[in-house]
Structure formats: C-alpha cells, structure tokens
Amino acid sequence: MSGVSRRSVLGYSGSAAAGAVLASAGTAQAQDGKAAKTAETAETAEKAQAAAVEFTPGTEFSGRVQHATGYAELTMTFKVKTEESPAQYDISPAEIAEALNEVAAKRGWPRITFYGTPPKAPLN
C-alpha cells in the first residue's frame, strides 16, 4: 500500500472506502514491524545462547547453506585446537567462522551459521 498516495485513493473512491484502505495499510505495516521485531528477538536469543555455550578445544564446527538460486549448496566443517600456546597465538573458532563467511560472501554465498558438535549449539 506504500506505493499509493492518500490523495489518489481519495480521488478514485469514496472517503469511507479510502479510510478503510488506509487503515488496513497501517495495520499491515504494524504487523510487518512485529514480525521484524520477533525475528530480531529470536536472532538475539540465538546469539546469547551461542555466547553462553563454551566449546571444548577440538570441537568440530559445521555449517550448511543453500544458494539463493536453490540449486547449489555449500557445507563447511572445521576444528580448531591449540596446545600449550600463549593466549596471543590462539585462534578462536568464531574468528575462523567469520573468515570462512567472508570468503563465501565474496563468491556470492549467504552467511553460514556454524554449529558445534557436541553440544549442538550455534557458534555465530
């Protein structure tokens, strides 16, 4: 409804009908806002869960994503484990996941969510 101005609606129909059209557009926009907020809340909860989970060194992480065309799929799996190294040399699984997502994005793939096994929880 955002593509139709109030003036054009009023010009082509009675004021009662125009009011009904405009009122329904406001309701639709409000529902879209609620859906976006719900999706944002779910994403925030998933990130909080990922932050709360502590993965042991050597945990295997994997992620799978389908290309927007629907015909191609990409699967990535990795492990990170450092032993007896100073903290400055450690590479976190989150850093690896981000680097892999950057490489995939350069090739046109959507963002991949990696899950640790065990536990089956999101990393990023």
Side-chain angles (χ1 to χ4, degrees), residues 10-41:
L10 290 173
Y12 292 109
S13 62
S15 61
V21 169
L22 292 173
S24 68
T27 303
Q29 289 174 350
Q31 289 175 351
D32 288 345
K34 286 181 184 176
K37 185 162 180 110
T38 302
E40 185 178 305
T41 303

Side-chain angles (χ1 to χ4, degrees), residues 8 38 44 71 74 84 91 95 101 123:
S8 67
T38 302
T44 302
Y71 296 111
L74 174 66
E84 300 181 27
I91 301 172
E95 289 174 305
N101 269 311
L123 171 64

